Amino acid sequence: MGDPMSGDRSQRTTWTRAPADEVARLVDGRHDDPFALLGPKPGAEPGRPVVRSFQPDAVSVAVVDGGTGRKLASLERTHDVGFFEGPLDEAPGARGYRLRVAWPTGDEQDLDDPYRFPLILGALDMHLLAEGRHLDVHEKLGAQPTRVDGVDGTTFAVWAPSAQRVSVVGDFNRWDGRRHPMRHRVEAGIWELFVPELGAGETYKFEILGATGVTLPLKADPVGLRAERSPGTASVVNGPVDHGWADETWMHERAGRQAPNAPVSIYEVHLGSWGRVPEEGDRYLTYEELAEELVRYVRDMGFTHIQLLPVSEHPFDGSWGYQPLGLFAPTSRFGPPAAFAAFVDRCHQAGIGVLLDWVPGHFPTDPHGLGRFDGTALYEHEDPRQGFHQDWNTLIYNYGRNEVANYLLSNGLYWCSHFHIDGLRVDAVASMLYLDYSRPADAWIPNRYGGNENLEAVDFLRRLTQLIDDDAAGAITIAEESTAWPGVTRASHLGGLGFDYKWNMGWMHDTLNYMRREPIYRKHHQHDLTFGLLYAFSENFVLPLSHDEVVHGKGSLLNKMPGDSWRQFANLRAYFGFMWTHPGKKLLFMGGEFAQRREWNHDRSLDWHLLDDPQHDGVRSLVRDLNEVYCGTPALHERDADPGGFEWIDATDTEQSVISFMRHGSEPGALAVVVCNFTPTPRDGYRVGVPVAGGYRERINTDATQYGGSGIGNAGWVEAEDVPWHGRPCSLRLSLPPLATLVLEPAAH
């Protein structure tokens, strides 16, 4: 292109323009290898590259020295839309070059060129990501504010192996997918790009040209660490939270504080409706406000744990978080991720564990989400008989794909390690385990042995529980599993799933069925109360009265109880007494502790004004005292998973609808006696056999006046008489209140 010895610049350096067809593909947003075209390319002389840049609508582009700002070259426009290229007149200094872009407005802007920077992900990361064995994906994929070659900016990386082109878009580039196309790391199907001078707080998405050449709806980042406030759907550059944790004591002790022999009483909370600020448009409480108000309340009530309905970012309020799309992002409804970390820290400093509802079973079909992410069934199954939930209109993760399983496993570990979450309550485990879950016979595909077990999901769950055991010391896993699948809490190496606890859905259904009945009919259904003891020690159980029991037309717990208002309250108090003394850890959804009368509504606050009513406040006082007695009485929790920790006194008094039993602790003499009267008839002189003579303290009487009851009872004390009864050497002659539970403890212990 001329004599290189000539004095004219175009004559001093020989260079070749980019192929026109390649430029056309770039301008059209269809180039799959932008680094082959853009950035510095070898020139005629070492250190003096040809620089190519695509700046749509720019008037001119010059290259300047990154250190001094001295002009090194004026690039030639070789495509009308804004493709510029040309050789440098001289080599840049140690800080490399920058681009000086002139816009039609007359403004000039100095920019670092994203296409002059090296590879982002190293060979080991790529190898582990390709194999599905990288458990720190939140540190490698997504948006990472960082510094590359002395320049501050953000690296972006996303898995989309079948995409033809991926770009990162946002306000910073006018949401124009032509401006920041990414490098394709074909060895792992990862697309990556470093965008200089872009920092925390910027919104972004990925624009993807799918496998069939169709541009997909803009996608949120699957590994985004922060999300835009709903109804916005963009991801937000954030980076891992750098919180100064002050919970060393809790973290050191938590394994023992949520072990099978420990008292575990869980308060289940939906953060968006526990409390609101009516004088400010009925807004949500922030994480900071919840750290003050919710933590203080839970501590005062004596619960040992808070269980949060899912806080992973989700687009629809009405899903309560159970259809998440931002698995790595604490929801922005209540504040930024750093504030969520501070909330967890405050819980721990108050001696309260934090459990998280976690949803690896399915995800919604919102166009900005994971569905058909690169134009193919990437995270889900292609066949709807495997990949579509008919009940929820959601998509099912493909657990047999290593990268998908790794994505979910790394996310579960992320919450436990990064935010110090004390346990994952895994949602909808039954739907994961069975290929024919809620499907007609012709709408599912058997496994390779012809069975209905989802073998890939079984393997995934075993890997999850083992991973949490190994890498998140002291954290636990809890299965919401509603079938008779064997060994849910058996160790995985013994053929179980490896969970620490399982929700006892059977106990919940049976006992609520019993409590719904008019007392006159209960004598025919006492097995609903006692049947759970036939299997109570087959797993490590949590007894759940969860949000699922107070929605969808089911009514509140109080309204499930029969009779007039007084009897409803008395029934509920008696039921709580039975629950808190039954083997198994406890879980109660918010509002239940003060007998909220209306069904839960996620769009409004709990009815805190009800506490002005002595009946409602009385139930709250009872729950507080039940937690105190439960936590302070070893017999009521130490042997929850040991059949030797429970002993019937009399389960056969169906005519009077009375049951009585004993709970035993680990130490000799650690004993609690429980008697439940599920009729409104007081029973004076009701005799119960006990193994130990002496005085017994009445620790709980759910009919006490301070709880809103009638005050019938034993004045806090009863002496055992030398009258053998129920096959025991002595007995208690009790005054049984109507619709009430008594808890007594030997005074000598």
Side-chain angles (χ1 to χ4, degrees):
M1 294 187 64
D3 181 358
M5 300 303 294
S6 167
D8 182 82
R9 183 181 71 84
S10 65
Q11 300 298 313
R12 290 199 306 270
T13 305
T14 300
W15 63 285
T16 303
R17 289 184 176 184
D21 62 330
E22 295 285 300
V23 175
R25 289 173 58 210
L26 181 77
V27 170
D28 196 34
R30 295 187 174 275
H31 204 294
D32 63 350
D33 190 9
F35 278 82
L37 189 62
L38 298 174
K41 298 293 173 278
E45 299 180 27
R48 292 172 59 185
V50 172
V51 173
R52 296 174 179 147
S53 180
F54 183 46
Q55 301 292 338
D57 305 323
V59 173
S60 65
V61 176
V63 180
V64 300
D65 185 84
T68 65
R70 187 176 71 259
K71 186 175 180 179
L72 303 178
S74 292
L75 302 185
E76 180 181 346
R77 179 196 294 271
T78 59
H79 192 287
D80 292 344
V81 174
F83 189 83
F84 298 84
E85 56 184 329
L88 301 190
D89 293 338
E90 58 180 284
R95 294 188 64 181
Y97 70 84
R98 304 188 83 200
L99 303 173
R100 181 164 293 163
V101 182
W103 301 105
T105 59
D107 295 330
E108 279 193 343
Q109 186 179 18
D110 281 6
L111 305 170
D112 273 292
D113 184 358
Y115 300 96
R116 76 172 179 86
F117 291 92
L119 298 174
I120 294 171
L121 296 172
L124 180 59
D125 288 321
M126 298 305 291
H127 174 74
L128 293 174
L129 288 166
E131 288 195 339
R133 294 193 300 113
H134 202 309
L135 293 174
D136 293 317
V137 298
H138 68 282
E139 295 180 354
K140 302 300 178 180
L141 302 185
Q144 306 290 336
T146 189
R147 190 173 179 86
V148 178
D149 290 350
V151 177
D152 290 327
T154 297
T155 61
F156 295 91
V158 62
W159 180 54
S162 296
Q164 295 185 17
R165 187 261 304 166
V166 179
S167 301
V168 59
V169 296
D171 290 337
F172 60 92
N173 64 9
R174 306 177 196 173
W175 299 90
D176 185 346
R178 301 172 302 166
R179 295 176 184 269
H180 287 91
M182 304 172 77
R183 176 194 282 120
H184 191 192
R185 304 292 299 277
V186 294
E187 62 269 40
I190 304 292
W191 299 76
E192 63 174 25
L193 185 70
F194 174 65
V195 180
E197 302 177 66
L198 195 69
E202 291 280 355
T203 56
Y204 70 98
K205 285 186 177 179
F206 295 112
E207 182 181 281
I208 299 175
L209 186 67
T212 62
V214 175
T215 302
L216 305 174
L218 295 182
K219 295 289 189 178
D221 187 353
V223 191
L225 302 184
R226 185 175 178 182
E228 195 177 22
R229 171 72 182 270
S230 175
T233 57
S235 302
V236 179
V237 176
N238 193 77
V241 171
D242 183 19
H243 177 73
W245 292 91
D247 62 349
E248 296 85 356
T249 299
W250 170 268
M251 295 296 285
H252 178 71
E253 296 176 351
R254 73 174 180 179
R257 296 180 70 160
Q258 43 197 30
N261 64 348
V264 176
S265 183
I266 304 165
Y267 188 58
E268 188 187 31
V269 176
H270 177 257
L271 292 179
S273 58
W274 180 78
R276 295 201 178 191
V277 186
E279 61 271 21
E280 297 179 22
D282 205 33
R283 69 165 176 84
Y284 295 132
L285 295 173
T286 66
Y287 287 125
E288 290 90 344
E289 290 167 330
L290 289 161
E292 292 291 335
E293 298 179 33
L294 177 59
V295 171
R296 180 170 57 246
Y297 180 77
V298 171
R299 185 174 186 178
D300 174 68
M301 288 298 298
F303 289 98
T304 64
H305 289 71
I306 296 171
Q307 181 171 303
L308 303 177
L309 270 63
V311 298
S312 299
E313 195 58 80
H314 50 283
F316 177 46
D317 289 352
S319 78
W320 317 326
Y322 288 99
Q323 294 194 8
L325 281 178
L327 284 187
F328 286 84
T331 179
S332 58
R333 289 168 173 82
F334 317 113
F340 177 72
F343 165 77
V344 176
D345 199 358
R346 184 70 66 85
C347 290
H348 287 174
Q349 292 176 49
I352 298 167
V354 181
L355 308 174
L356 187 67
D357 256 351
W358 188 61
V359 188
H362 62 123
F363 59 93
T365 58
D366 297 64
H368 67 282
L370 299 180
R372 310 292 296 185
F373 189 80
D374 62 357
T376 69
L378 187 61
Y379 288 87
E380 70 272 32
H381 294 269
E382 183 69 50
D383 192 322
R385 293 176 296 173
Q386 296 172 292
F388 187 74
H389 254 307
Q390 297 175 332
D391 289 353
W392 305 320
N393 293 321
T394 53
L395 299 171
I396 301 170
Y397 288 104
N398 183 353
Y399 308 108
R401 186 161 190 168
N402 290 338
E403 298 95 331
V404 175
N406 183 76
Y407 169 74
L408 293 169
L409 291 170
S410 62
N411 178 253
L413 185 61
Y414 167 77
W415 287 102
C416 293
S417 61
H418 194 69
F419 287 108
H420 291 200
I421 293 298
D422 301 299
L424 302 176
R425 178 269 195 185
V426 182
D427 181 61
V429 170
S431 76
M432 299 170 67
L433 291 174
Y434 296 97
L435 296 167
D436 60 346
Y437 180 86
S438 195
R439 294 179 183 272
D442 60 348
W444 62 282
I445 299 176
N447 63 34
R448 60 183 178 270
Y449 303 114
N452 67 342
E453 302 88 356
N454 188 333
L455 302 179
E456 289 81 11
V458 170
D459 180 63
F460 166 77
L461 291 169
R462 287 172 174 163
R463 291 171 62 194
L464 169 72
T465 57
Q466 190 64 57
L467 176 68
I468 300 301
D469 281 347
D470 292 344
D471 291 6
I476 59 175
T477 51
I478 305 170
E480 186 213 13
E481 204 289 304
S482 55
T483 75
W485 186 281
V488 172
T489 59
R490 187 185 306 139
S492 56
H493 69 274
L494 297 176
L497 296 181
F499 284 91
D500 294 283
Y501 295 101
K502 170 182 172 173
W503 273 21
N504 194 336
M505 310 292 279
W507 175 90
M508 177 270 296
H509 285 297
D510 289 347
T511 58
L512 281 178
N513 282 341
Y514 179 86
M515 295 304 301
R516 285 189 182 97
R517 300 183 187 279
E518 289 288 346
I520 193 172
Y521 302 119
R522 287 176 176 170
K523 62 184 178 181
H524 304 298
H525 300 277
Q526 194 146 306
H527 61 277
D528 284 338
L529 286 181
T530 60
F531 180 71
L533 272 305
L534 296 179
Y535 61 86
F537 309 105
S538 62
E539 305 274 10
N540 294 338
F541 281 120
V542 173
L543 309 181
L545 293 178
S546 74
H547 65 280
D548 277 331
E549 310 320 311
V550 293
V551 291
H552 299 316
K554 296 177 183 176
S556 67
L557 291 178
L558 183 63
N559 280 340
K560 288 176 171 49
M561 304 296 129
D564 59 17
S565 180
W566 190 93
R567 293 189 182 194
Q568 284 183 311
F569 279 99
N571 271 300
L572 185 60
R573 294 192 303 265
Y575 183 47
F576 282 165
F578 171 67
M579 173 181 174
W580 255 259
T581 55
H582 190 285
K585 309 311 178 188
K586 325 302 174 189
L587 180 140
L588 181 64
F589 183 58
M590 64 182 198
E593 80 279 10
F594 61 82
Q596 176 159 299
R597 185 169 286 281
R598 68 170 174 86
E599 187 175 88
W600 172 55
N601 182 346
H602 68 273
D603 278 331
R604 56 181 284 192
S605 171
L606 296 179
D607 294 336
W608 293 105
H609 64 276
L610 293 176
L611 291 173
D612 294 335
D613 183 328
Q615 290 280 1
H616 290 279
D617 192 46
V619 175
R620 185 173 67 162
S621 295
L622 171 65
V623 171
R624 181 190 292 114
D625 288 353
L626 283 170
N627 277 329
E628 180 182 358
V629 171
Y630 166 68
C631 292
T633 306
L636 292 178
H637 61 256
E638 279 188 338
R639 300 174 72 182
D640 269 341
D642 176 3
F646 178 89
E647 185 179 358
W648 281 115
I649 298 174
D650 187 0
T652 64
D653 188 1
T654 57
E655 190 62 33
Q656 299 186 89
S657 297
V658 176
I659 61 171
S660 52
F661 56 89
M662 291 184 287
R663 297 294 308 279
H664 298 283
S666 299
E667 297 296 325
L671 170 69
V673 175
V674 181
V675 186
C676 305
N677 177 15
F678 287 111
T679 70
T681 303
R683 305 192 184 281
D684 191 35
Y686 190 90
R687 195 169 290 278
V688 173
V690 291
V692 180
Y696 283 72
R697 291 177 293 173
E698 192 176 63
R699 300 294 307 279
I700 290 288
N701 175 356
T702 66
D703 189 52
T705 55
Q706 66 263 36
Y707 305 141
S710 63
I712 295 174
N714 301 278
W717 182 269
V718 61
E719 288 283 342
E721 300 176 357
D722 292 331
V723 178
W725 209 261
H726 291 132
R728 292 169 179 84
C730 46
S731 56
L732 303 176
R733 188 173 182 275
L734 299 171
S735 177
L736 290 189
L739 296 172
T741 294
L742 299 180
V743 183
L744 303 108
E745 185 181 28
H749 184 69

